[in-house]
Amino acid sequence: MASIRRTLSPVYHDRHYENGGAPFSPSSTSSSPSQKSSGKHSSSSDPKASRRGPWRRPFYQFLAFFLIGFLLGMTPYGQIDDVNSTTDRFNFEIKPPNVEESLERREEVAVDGVSFSAESKNKKEEEEEDFAPRKLVIVVTPTYNRAMQAYNLNRVAQTLRLVEAPVLWIVVEGNAASFETSEILRKTGVMYRHLVCKRNMTSVKDRGVHQRNTALEHIELHKLDGVVYFADDDNIYSLELFQSLRQIRRFGTWPVAMLAPSKNKAILEGPVCNGSQVIGWHTNEKSKRLRRFHVDMSGFAFNSTILWDPKRWRRPFSHPTRQLDTVKEGFQETTFIEQVVADERDMEGVPPACSRILNWHLHLDALDVPYPQGWVVQKNLEALITVK
């Protein structure tokens, strides 16, 4: 008996079966419109649900861990004090790191093989506390144009350059400031002020008095605080003298060695001291024994505040402290000192016991000798001895 095999039509191979139904099943063919519409709605709502679900959970986890990490980061590091853990087991006190222990470990620091302990640090601190600024030394020098002026000014300047700062050199000229003096001062390397005395000076005696008074007026006007010293340019000064000036509290004095105008003998003039106390005076000139204080113009120094702050020193005079041009020559020193101090109790001997000569007063100026203008030789010198 022959068998007949029916082949399926290709139309039915590509058909999709809904709800797992078989081909040509009644359920597949008799689906109602309401089911189709509900299927469409369900298929359209599923993608939205799939979009919301995956990202919400990781976001909340990230936010929770971030908050925990932030709180832990804000918590200070320290150690828990559990000394009294037996009595109070739940009392936790957070303390900062022990800074004192770390400092104790660093008390000794080795630098290039040398250890510095805490004792050396304490010594440095004590030295800084004891440090006090040095007093200003105000050197007043009257000068005028003459043959030896350049030599004298350069000699004083070389000494002042070796003195520890601060030093102020007040140089006073008469009538007008000369070009030669200005050039010398600019090249010295010393802090200076170049002043001019406008007073009409008729005699050599009055010239130095008015020039020093011009410097005193300048100090009083600007209230310079320091020790004032009259240093003529024709004197010779030791470095120790300027170093001793800063020790003067009110008024200091010392002996001066002088060459007599006749240049045939030396004269010592100044105080006789017991330690730093002045107990008398020594002089070799009989004509000057009538003076109250026997001291040379370059043999004393005083505190500059006496000029512009008399109440501090309880001075009885209300007029300015100046040198007088109405007294005899040789008495300018004593009349000026009488305005500064009352007696020897206000004086200090420099150095103690007044046992050393710190400066010399020499009379070596060549009077009325012309000098080349600008210290430059304009013409060639005449050859008196020729080279053969």
Side-chain angles (χ1 to χ4, degrees):
M1 184 173 175
S3 61
I4 301 172
R5 182 177 295 176
R6 298 177 62 184
T7 58
L8 295 176
S9 176
V11 179
Y12 300 104
H13 284 285
D14 299 334
R15 181 176 297 178
H16 297 281
Y17 305 109
E18 297 180 0
N19 298 327
F24 302 104
S25 62
S27 62
S28 63
T29 57
S30 63
S31 59
S32 62
S34 62
Q35 291 177 351
K36 294 180 179 180
S37 62
S38 63
K40 292 179 181 179
H41 287 294
S42 62
S43 62
S44 62
S45 61
D46 289 338
K48 294 182 180 179
S50 62
R51 289 190 199 120
R52 295 175 184 172
W55 64 270
R56 287 188 178 181
R57 186 175 180 182
F59 174 74
Y60 290 131
Q61 291 177 351
F62 171 77
L63 183 62
F65 284 117
F66 175 78
L67 293 175
I68 294 173
F70 178 77
L71 294 176
L72 290 176
M74 295 297 293
T75 304
Y77 293 99
Q79 58 185 0
I80 300 176
D81 188 11
D82 55 350
V83 178
N84 299 326
S85 59
T86 56
T87 57
D88 191 1
R89 191 173 299 273
F90 299 99
N91 183 17
F92 297 97
E93 181 181 358
I94 298 177
K95 291 185 176 181
N98 195 347
V99 183
E100 295 180 357
E101 293 180 1
S102 61
L103 291 177
E104 290 176 358
R105 295 173 186 172
R106 298 179 183 178
E107 282 182 355
E108 295 185 358
V109 181
V111 180
D112 296 335
V114 182
S115 62
F116 297 91
S117 62
E119 295 178 357
S120 61
K121 295 180 181 179
N122 295 333
K123 290 181 180 178
K124 291 181 180 179
E125 293 177 356
E126 291 177 358
E127 290 177 357
E128 291 178 356
E129 292 178 356
D130 296 339
F131 173 77
R134 289 189 290 265
K135 287 184 179 180
L136 173 66
V137 177
I138 306 172
V139 182
V140 177
T141 301
T143 186
Y144 60 97
N145 297 338
R146 62 195 189 279
M148 301 289 288
Q149 182 188 24
Y151 166 73
N152 291 335
L153 288 178
N154 279 290
R155 183 176 58 186
V156 177
Q158 294 300 323
T159 305
L160 295 179
R161 288 183 64 180
L162 301 176
V163 182
E164 293 181 339
V167 177
L168 176 61
W169 191 17
I170 300 180
V171 180
V172 188
E173 281 193 289
N175 299 327
S178 64
F179 171 78
E180 293 81 7
T181 304
S182 301
E183 284 295 311
I184 293 172
L185 295 178
R186 274 195 289 266
K187 296 176 182 178
T188 56
V190 181
M191 183 172 62
Y192 71 94
R193 295 186 183 181
H194 191 186
L195 306 182
V196 176
C197 179
K198 299 295 185 180
R199 292 288 299 271
N200 185 15
M201 295 171 289
T202 56
S203 65
V204 177
K205 176 180 71 70
D206 296 339
R207 178 173 56 201
V209 172
H210 294 311
Q211 288 175 336
R212 296 187 191 97
N213 286 339
T214 300
L216 295 177
E217 292 172 2
H218 181 82
I219 296 171
E220 182 178 356
L221 176 63
H222 296 278
K223 295 184 178 181
L224 301 180
D225 191 359
V227 179
V228 181
Y229 177 53
F230 298 124
D232 292 344
D233 58 359
D234 59 344
N235 293 353
I236 299 176
Y237 306 94
S238 64
L239 186 61
E240 184 183 355
L241 169 63
F242 295 98
Q243 295 174 348
S244 303
L245 293 180
R246 292 192 171 97
Q247 303 174 4
I248 296 174
R249 180 179 173 271
R250 176 171 182 169
F251 184 93
T253 182
W254 54 90
V256 178
M258 297 180 292
L259 184 64
S262 60
K263 298 180 178 59
N264 58 0
K265 63 177 180 178
I267 301 173
L268 286 177
E269 186 175 64
V272 178
C273 304
N274 181 14
S276 60
Q277 182 182 3
V278 178
I279 59 175
W281 301 92
H282 176 78
T283 182
N284 292 337
E285 295 188 72
K286 298 180 180 180
S287 60
K288 295 182 179 180
R289 291 184 179 179
L290 298 176
R291 295 183 301 176
R292 174 65 179 85
F293 302 109
H294 302 270
V295 62
D296 186 69
M297 187 66 71
S298 61
F300 67 91
F302 60 95
N303 197 312
S304 64
T305 56
I306 296 176
L307 300 175
W308 48 269
D309 192 8
K311 294 182 180 179
R312 174 182 175 183
W313 304 101
R314 300 177 182 178
R315 289 179 56 242
F317 306 105
S318 59
H319 57 80
T321 303
R322 299 291 186 267
Q323 293 188 6
L324 306 178
D325 59 349
T326 57
V327 297
K328 290 176 58 177
E329 184 178 1
F331 284 79
Q332 288 91 355
E333 297 89 345
T334 183
T335 54
F336 178 79
I337 296 173
E338 289 172 7
Q339 302 176 56
V340 178
V341 296
D343 51 29
E344 285 80 1
R345 289 176 296 180
D346 297 332
M347 297 182 179
E348 311 164 37
V350 179
C354 303
S355 57
R356 299 190 61 182
I357 304 300
L358 301 179
N359 64 302
W360 297 262
H361 187 181
L362 307 178
H363 301 274
L364 300 178
D365 264 342
L367 301 178
D368 301 328
V369 176
Y371 64 94
Q373 186 176 4
W375 305 105
V376 177
V377 179
Q378 302 295 338
K379 297 180 181 180
N380 293 332
L381 299 177
E382 182 182 357
L384 301 178
I385 302 174
T386 58
V387 178
K388 296 181 181 180

